[in-house]
Amino acid sequence: GDVRGRRGSELKVLSAVETKSPGYFDHVREEVINRDRYRDKTRTWGTDFMTFRDEGEISYALGKQGGTRRKLERSTGAVVQYVGMMVLCSGTRRERTRVREYMKWLFQQLEGPVYVDGWRDREDCTVMDIPNDCIGYITGNRRATLGVMEEEWGTLMFFMSDSESRGQGRGGTERLAIFGPLRARRGSELKVMSGIETKSPGFFTRSLREKCSDKRGFDTDRLVFRDDEVSYALGKDGATRKKLELASGAILQYVGHLAFIAGSLKERKRCREFIVWLLQQRRGSVTITDIDTRDDVTEVHIPPSCKGWVTGNRGS
């Protein structure tokens, strides 16, 4: 495998070995840390390590069923593994730096509110204003709701405040910081927006209109639904929204009566088309005229006698 895959497997094995045979890693530490140094496209690949003080710190940094370790790994792009009393992180210089920063902020949360200086200049950060009366709803019991979003998108999320920026009273807001890759941050942000719009209608969408960007790279479009279209495009337990998202490759989230479509130009265009076709099915059959020129479709001919069997009850 490549250097990243090999290092991930190696550290996973060493973690298991250290559990079974404590102290083994001390004998191979220098060899492991120095292996494959600079052997990547950026020529900055390496391995850093930090030592925990006690079992309590390890337990906190690991999280329930390893959830905290996984979100550190996915949000930074580095390989993160705990071996005995040490955390090892392998990746480019930028990735390793982010692991150290994110780990520091995780432990600062145990002592009180965290504020990240210079967050406006960071390229791995999105900050949202959350109404005070929605904070509990978005956080969940023992931050369970935030945890689900972090797990889904591979981001690190926490409320960020200092003495000057704390919201005052019911009408105030708090800052929610989201760290990770651009696509993951946007997915988390739209998920939060959807939840807040349910709790506080109009907070995000009051002044928004439909939007269609011609930017080829990553951007976000908006599509306005009529009242009776939202529930149909959502589907049971959100199943229809999820299949539109999966089939198009775009991020699709409903915020009030607006569909937010994030991705590349090709992904956004495809998602819009799929939504239009979906809504057309309510009024009758749909005809796609450009099947021969599309690269995202396979046409299968079904005998009329088998149509009902393939479709199932109400499309199931």
Side-chain angles (χ1 to χ4, degrees):
D2 62 12
V3 63
R4 189 176 296 271
R6 296 197 309 271
R7 177 45 58 95
S9 299
E10 180 184 23
L11 294 184
K12 185 82 171 178
V13 169
L14 286 171
S15 179
V17 169
E18 190 68 16
T19 301
K20 187 72 173 178
S21 181
Y24 173 80
F25 181 68
D26 290 337
H27 302 295
V28 298
R29 182 170 68 182
E30 291 304 316
E31 177 187 353
V32 170
I33 289 175
N34 292 316
R35 185 179 295 131
D36 294 327
R37 180 171 288 181
Y38 308 135
R39 293 183 63 181
D40 73 319
K41 292 180 180 179
T42 69
R43 307 295 296 170
T44 64
W45 176 273
T47 299
D48 293 344
F49 65 90
M50 294 170 275
T51 303
F52 292 117
R53 289 179 296 185
D54 51 47
E55 292 289 338
E57 286 192 348
I58 295 177
S59 178
Y60 178 72
L62 182 62
K64 186 178 180 181
Q65 298 179 333
T68 302
R69 183 194 67 79
R70 285 196 301 273
K71 76 181 178 185
L72 281 170
E73 200 168 51
R74 292 178 64 193
S75 60
T76 60
V79 177
V80 180
Q81 190 58 257
Y82 304 151
V83 180
M85 296 294 290
M86 297 177 62
V87 54
L88 287 93
C89 54
S90 296
T92 64
R93 182 180 292 113
R94 176 179 292 181
E95 291 167 347
R96 300 195 312 273
T97 298
R98 286 179 179 172
V99 171
R100 288 182 173 275
E101 290 175 328
Y102 293 7
M103 187 74 77
K104 178 183 72 174
W105 299 332
L106 273 174
F107 280 96
Q108 282 180 349
Q109 292 178 61
L110 294 173
E111 303 170 1
V114 178
Y115 185 79
V116 179
D117 291 320
W119 61 264
R120 291 181 177 85
D121 300 322
R122 298 183 65 100
E123 61 179 29
D124 63 338
C125 176
T126 297
V127 173
M128 308 176 61
D129 289 322
I130 308 298
N132 282 349
D133 56 359
C134 294
I135 290 175
Y137 179 73
I138 292 300
T139 305
N141 183 33
R142 303 180 70 176
R143 80 183 303 281
T145 306
L146 276 184
V148 168
M149 287 187 278
E150 289 174 327
E151 185 75 19
E152 178 182 358
W153 290 103
T155 52
L156 173 67
M157 305 169 68
F158 56 84
F159 281 94
M160 182 178 68
S161 60
D162 57 15
S163 58
E164 296 180 0
S165 64
R166 296 185 68 87
Q168 301 293 327
R170 184 178 177 83
T173 60
E174 293 285 349
R175 287 173 175 162
L176 176 65
I178 307 172
F179 291 89
L182 174 60
R183 192 179 191 94
R185 295 200 315 271
R186 190 56 168 152
S188 298
E189 181 184 17
L190 292 176
K191 188 85 170 181
V192 171
M193 289 171 62
S194 179
I196 290 177
E197 196 70 17
T198 301
K199 185 76 172 176
S200 182
F203 184 82
F204 287 112
T205 62
R206 188 171 291 112
S207 59
L208 295 182
R209 298 292 182 267
E210 197 157 301
K211 171 194 170 189
C212 185
S213 170
D214 58 1
K215 182 179 177 182
R216 298 186 66 85
F218 190 88
D219 205 353
T220 304
D221 291 351
R222 294 190 296 265
L223 184 65
V224 177
F225 283 133
R226 291 194 293 268
D227 291 344
D228 60 338
E229 293 176 336
V230 178
S231 59
Y232 184 77
L234 183 62
K236 185 179 180 181
D237 298 324
T240 303
R241 181 193 64 79
K242 292 173 186 174
K243 75 179 180 184
L244 288 167
E245 189 173 58
L246 186 62
S248 66
I251 298 169
L252 175 63
Q253 191 60 254
Y254 304 152
V255 183
H257 287 81
L258 286 172
F260 283 73
I261 307 167
S264 66
L265 179 61
K266 189 174 183 179
E267 291 167 342
R268 300 193 310 271
K269 180 182 177 182
R270 184 185 297 146
C271 191
R272 276 180 172 271
E273 289 177 328
F274 290 177
I275 292 173
V276 170
W277 296 341
L278 174 78
L279 296 177
Q280 285 177 350
Q281 292 178 59
R282 304 175 70 195
R283 298 187 292 271
S285 59
V286 179
T287 301
I288 312 300
T289 58
D290 60 346
I291 282 183
D292 293 337
T293 60
R294 298 183 69 95
D295 61 3
D296 63 345
V297 62
T298 299
E299 188 176 16
V300 181
H301 295 279
I302 305 296
S305 59
C306 297
K307 184 177 178 181
W309 185 78
V310 171
T311 306
N313 181 36
R314 304 181 72 178
S316 63

